[in-house]
């Protein structure tokens, strides 16, 4: 999660008209004029051009830097250089995809290698063959197209909508289907689920105007159509710290963090606007009351369930999930897993399709203490920065440990600890060290020359470690493990035991130690 370098941008044009006439929708009452359409078209292409221009500058900047790591991204932001956008989603008032200019713009963006995906919310009423031809003629790659398709029972029937979804799926388009959870439409929604291809997820959106809580029978009924329906019932507390990495842009360039947040007071077309947003925006909302608001946040479970760009609401269904604890499952400044993340973990575990694993620098015993309330949902994991790998839940538990023999080098570190102002913590398995942590008081970070000094102690003199070791820094902690111990190798081991490829797994973390693990897994969150 910490290595999702590219960001998500949502765009809403000035279009406020729709070809559908749903009784509850205010935009169904307005028919757009040619003047309004022309204005929306100009605004859309201005936005597309700005993205293409920024993308070129951002790519040239990465080439100059020689990389695209987390540090280089932070440096670019400090310098006010363009951020790298990996996903663009059009979230219109009304229906946008009946207008060819949107397909042309999406195609131009999708033609760029750096853009991972493009898409829109839509009622699927556009002419499929003609629209996709415009998209492809503009250079659009079909594998990058994502559609959030909403079923409107007043305007179309289940069979027609399901067939349209299948037709688009056959072109290589990734698509999800959605319906509002109106209790009176329960049977229609069940019928839709039956007719949709298995590869298309049907999500049921909580009905805001219901005026009462759903009954247990209604919840069970909607859960039959949407196994993730319970997510709709858990309030999501607003937390602007998780809003970095996504923006909502209006037709005139006004920028918000999301569709329900306040105006940030900056404009997309101001070249210096990035310097005006040094950190997470202030949010006055108590709740993220809709999926567009909470689905784009850096909540780890959003990415576990729906991949690097969860706003499209297309599940990735991994065979296994590997989750860092500090900074990922448990956010900065928090003491335990949030209620929302806990509910997601319980939901995943209850379905039995995805195995959950920890991937942490914490030793096994510390991970148990820190995550006791969710421990039973997990099947083991990678502990002690990869030095200890455990698989539970099989006929017999499996375990792999990377040990560091000898004690003299540990005593040498203890002798040096008063001068170095650190404590020495030793974690053992079978009476032999598998990880040693040097902890600085007051969270004082380790300097490079100090880390190099520790490395010299470990390889020189009679107290040297008898085998190669890996030394890395995590804030005030300096970790020492066997050279072959890392989270990436631990994930490979567990996937091998499970009989799956790492590309069938997902992983999330927020530090440099997590980077290779996240890149290894096909559903890196």
């Amino acid at each position: 999660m910490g290595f999702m370098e590219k960001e998500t941008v949502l765009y809403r044009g000035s279009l406020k008209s729709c070809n559908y006439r749903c009784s509850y929708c205010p935009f169904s009452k307005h028919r757009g004029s040619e003047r309004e359409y022309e204005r929306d078209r100009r605004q859309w292409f201005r936005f597309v051009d700005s993205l293409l221009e920024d993308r070129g500058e951002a790519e040239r900047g990465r080439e100059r830097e020689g990389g695209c790591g987390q540090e280089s991204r932070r440096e670019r932001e400090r310098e006010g250089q363009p951020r790298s956008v990996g996903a663009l989603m059009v979230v219109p008032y009304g229906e946008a995809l009946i207008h060819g200019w949107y397909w042309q713009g999406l195609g131009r963006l999708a033609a760029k290698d750096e853009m991972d995906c493009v898409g829109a919310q839509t009622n699927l009423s556009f002419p499929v063959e003609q629209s996709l031809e415009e998209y492809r003629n503009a250079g659009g790659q079909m594998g990058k197209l994502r559609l959030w398709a909403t079923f409107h029972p007043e305007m179309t029937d289940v069979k027609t909508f399901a067939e349209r979804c299948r037709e688009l799926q056959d072109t290589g388009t990734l698509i999800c289907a959605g319906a509002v959870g109106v209790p009176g439409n329960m049977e229609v929604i069940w019928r839709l689920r039956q007719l949709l291809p298995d590869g298309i997820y049907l999500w049921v959106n909580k009905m805001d105007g219901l005026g009462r809580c759903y009954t247990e029978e209604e919840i069970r009924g909607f859960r039959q159509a949407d196994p993730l329906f319970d997510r709709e019932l858990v309030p999501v507390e607003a937390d602007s710290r998780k809003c970095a990495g996504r923006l909502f842009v209006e037709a005139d360039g006004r920028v918000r963090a999301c569709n329900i947040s306040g105006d940030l007071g900056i404009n997309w077309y101001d070249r210096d606007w990035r310097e005006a947003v040094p950190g997470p925006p202030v949010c006055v909302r108590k709740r993220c009351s809709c999926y567009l608001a909470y689905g784009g946040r850096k909540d780890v479970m959003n990415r576990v369930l729906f991949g690097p760009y969860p706003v499209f609401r297309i599940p990735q269904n991994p065979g296994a999930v590997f989750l860092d604890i500090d900074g990922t499952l448990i956010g900065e400044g928090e003491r335990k897993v949030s209620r929302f993340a806990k509910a997601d973990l319980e939901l995943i575990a209850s379905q039995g399709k995805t195995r959950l694993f920890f991937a942490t620098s914490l030793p096994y015993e510390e991970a148990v203490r820190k995550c006791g309330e969710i421990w039973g949902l997990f099947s083991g994991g990678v502990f002690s920065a990869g030095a200890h790998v455990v698989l539970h839940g099989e006929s017999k538990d499996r375990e792999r440990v990377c040990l560091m023999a000898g004690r003299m080098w540990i005593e040498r570190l203890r002798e040096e600890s008063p001068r170095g102002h650190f404590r020495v913590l030793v974690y053992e398995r079978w009476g032999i060290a598998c990880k040693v942590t040097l902890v600085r008081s007051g969270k004082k970070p380790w300097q490079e020359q100090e880390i190099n000094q520790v490395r010299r102690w470990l390889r020189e003199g009679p107290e040297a470690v008898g085998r190669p070791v890996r030394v890395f820094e995590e804030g005030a902690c300096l970790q020492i493990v066997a050279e072959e111990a890392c989270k990436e190798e631990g994930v490979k081991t567990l996937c091998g035991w499970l009989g799956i490829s790492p590309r069938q797994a997902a992983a999330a973390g927020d530090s440099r130690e997590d980077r290779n693990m996240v890149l290894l897994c096909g559903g890196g969150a």
Side-chain angles (χ1 to χ4, degrees):
M1 197 171 76
F3 299 103
M4 191 184 68
E5 304 297 339
K6 300 176 184 178
E7 300 179 341
T8 301
V9 173
L10 278 65
Y11 174 83
R12 175 170 287 160
S14 58
L15 187 72
K16 291 182 173 60
S17 60
C18 184
N19 58 329
Y20 275 10
R21 297 291 176 261
C22 301
S23 60
Y24 57 85
C25 179
F27 306 109
S28 68
K29 311 299 188 293
H30 177 71
R31 291 185 179 275
S33 66
E34 289 302 318
R35 182 177 180 180
E36 289 172 332
Y37 291 153
E38 177 57 25
R39 179 189 179 208
D40 182 71
R41 189 190 68 82
R42 287 198 311 269
Q43 290 171 326
W44 165 241
F45 282 130
R46 182 191 183 196
F47 174 72
V48 170
D49 289 342
S50 73
L51 266 181
L52 294 172
E53 177 185 359
D54 279 2
R55 300 184 63 70
E57 292 186 12
E59 183 62 20
R60 287 191 292 273
R62 281 195 294 275
E63 291 175 356
R64 289 193 299 270
E65 293 161 3
C68 57
Q70 189 175 33
E71 291 76 19
S72 62
R73 170 183 167 176
R74 288 172 177 165
E75 190 65 31
R76 290 199 304 274
E77 291 180 2
R78 281 196 296 270
E79 295 174 359
Q81 293 182 10
R83 290 168 171 169
S84 179
V85 176
L88 183 280
M89 183 179 184
V90 177
V91 285
Y93 286 136
E95 177 58 35
L97 294 191
I98 56 174
H99 303 292
W101 58 86
Y102 277 101
W103 288 103
Q104 295 160 21
L106 291 174
R108 289 175 60 196
L109 291 172
K112 298 299 181 181
D113 291 340
E114 304 84 13
M115 183 69 80
D116 295 325
C117 48
V118 299
Q121 287 179 305
T122 175
N123 61 24
L124 294 189
S125 61
F126 54 84
V128 172
E129 186 174 342
Q130 175 185 331
S131 299
L132 295 185
E133 184 178 2
E134 289 189 86
Y135 174 78
R136 287 189 292 259
N137 286 343
Q141 302 176 39
M142 293 308 304
K144 293 186 178 183
L145 186 59
R146 310 282 188 270
L147 295 180
W148 170 332
T150 305
F151 174 63
H152 296 272
E154 292 185 27
M155 298 301 301
T156 187
D157 61 272
V158 169
K159 183 178 180 181
T160 301
F161 184 84
E163 287 178 350
R164 182 61 61 90
C165 289
R166 185 185 300 276
E167 181 182 5
L168 284 160
Q169 185 187 51
D170 289 344
T171 69
T173 302
L174 291 182
I175 184 172
C176 75
V180 178
V182 179
N185 290 345
M186 183 83 71
E187 292 188 7
V188 174
I189 292 173
W190 285 344
R191 177 65 174 159
L192 179 58
R193 176 61 278 169
Q194 291 170 353
L195 292 181
L196 283 171
D198 291 338
I200 294 180
Y201 166 57
L202 171 63
W203 55 266
V204 179
N205 201 40
K206 182 179 68 175
M207 181 179 175
D208 290 334
L210 186 60
R212 61 171 175 81
C213 295
Y214 285 108
T215 66
E216 286 299 318
E217 182 179 1
E218 289 167 349
I219 293 174
R220 287 193 298 271
F222 285 131
R223 197 183 288 146
Q224 289 180 34
D226 176 7
L228 302 180
F229 178 66
D230 287 15
R231 293 191 102 222
E232 289 287 304
L233 308 178
V234 180
V236 183
E237 295 183 2
D239 186 350
S240 61
R241 294 174 299 176
K242 298 178 179 179
C243 290
R246 57 92 175 263
L247 291 169
F248 188 95
V249 181
E250 302 279 3
D252 58 6
R254 285 176 297 161
V255 177
R256 307 175 187 273
C258 73
N259 58 310
I260 63 172
S261 69
D263 192 329
L264 295 180
I266 52 180
N267 194 283
W268 177 264
Y269 300 108
D270 180 353
R271 298 299 301 174
D272 298 326
W273 73 267
R274 289 165 179 82
E275 295 181 353
V277 193
V282 176
C283 181
V284 297
R285 292 274 184 171
K286 293 183 178 180
R287 296 275 189 271
C288 293
S289 56
C290 71
Y291 187 79
L292 283 182
Y294 74 78
R297 299 188 343 176
K298 287 193 173 180
D299 290 313
V300 61
M301 297 312 299
N302 284 339
R303 277 135 174 89
V304 165
L305 289 166
F306 300 107
Y309 303 111
V311 290
F312 295 106
R313 213 163 180 164
I314 298 174
Q316 58 180 5
N317 300 315
V321 173
F322 299 90
L323 300 173
D324 178 41
I325 295 177
D326 290 327
T328 302
L329 270 178
I330 301 177
E332 185 177 352
E334 300 172 357
R335 294 186 176 181
K336 62 180 183 178
V337 176
S338 70
R339 176 187 174 191
F340 188 55
K342 183 173 181 287
D344 278 340
L345 291 168
E346 291 171 341
L347 184 60
I348 292 172
S350 68
Q351 293 177 353
K353 297 178 180 179
T354 300
R355 302 281 290 272
L356 296 172
F357 295 93
F358 296 105
T360 177
S361 291
L362 295 174
Y364 184 93
E365 293 76 10
E366 284 194 23
V368 172
R369 285 194 293 270
K370 199 155 195 175
C371 298
E373 65 175 339
I374 60 171
W375 186 262
L377 304 175
F378 284 70
S379 300
V382 180
F383 304 95
S384 294
H388 189 192
V389 181
V390 180
L391 174 61
H392 295 311
E394 305 295 302
S395 57
K396 182 180 179 181
D397 288 354
R398 303 186 69 167
E399 184 175 17
R400 190 203 75 183
V401 185
C402 301
L403 299 173
M404 297 181 293
R407 307 283 311 180
M408 292 180 63
W409 63 277
I410 296 176
E411 295 307 317
R412 170 73 185 276
L413 291 174
R414 285 178 173 147
E415 291 173 5
E416 298 288 349
S417 63
R419 288 188 292 275
H421 305 287
F422 58 80
R423 292 182 297 125
V424 181
L425 304 179
V426 181
Y427 303 98
E428 297 181 337
R429 190 65 177 166
W430 306 314
I432 303 175
C434 66
K435 182 169 82 97
V436 173
T437 302
L438 310 185
V439 185
R440 276 282 176 77
S441 60
K443 297 184 177 181
K444 181 182 176 182
W446 285 81
Q447 302 299 316
E448 189 62 32
Q449 64 269 24
E450 296 171 325
I451 298 174
N452 289 334
Q453 177 62 64
V454 171
R455 290 193 175 107
R456 285 193 291 272
W457 290 338
L458 296 174
R459 68 172 181 262
E460 297 173 359
E463 305 93 349
V465 185
R467 61 175 300 183
V469 296
R470 190 167 68 91
V471 181
F472 63 94
E473 170 253 343
E474 286 185 320
C477 295
L478 196 64
Q479 310 283 14
I480 305 170
V481 294
E483 186 178 52
E484 69 272 23
C486 64
K487 292 184 180 181
E488 178 187 9
E489 291 302 318
V491 168
K492 289 179 181 178
T493 296
L494 278 167
C495 286
W497 290 345
L498 294 172
I500 65 172
S501 164
R503 303 305 297 174
Q504 297 172 276
D510 70 328
S511 72
R512 283 176 292 182
E513 271 297 291
D514 300 307
R515 180 178 180 84
N516 288 338
M517 173 185 73
V518 171
L519 294 176
L520 172 71
C521 294

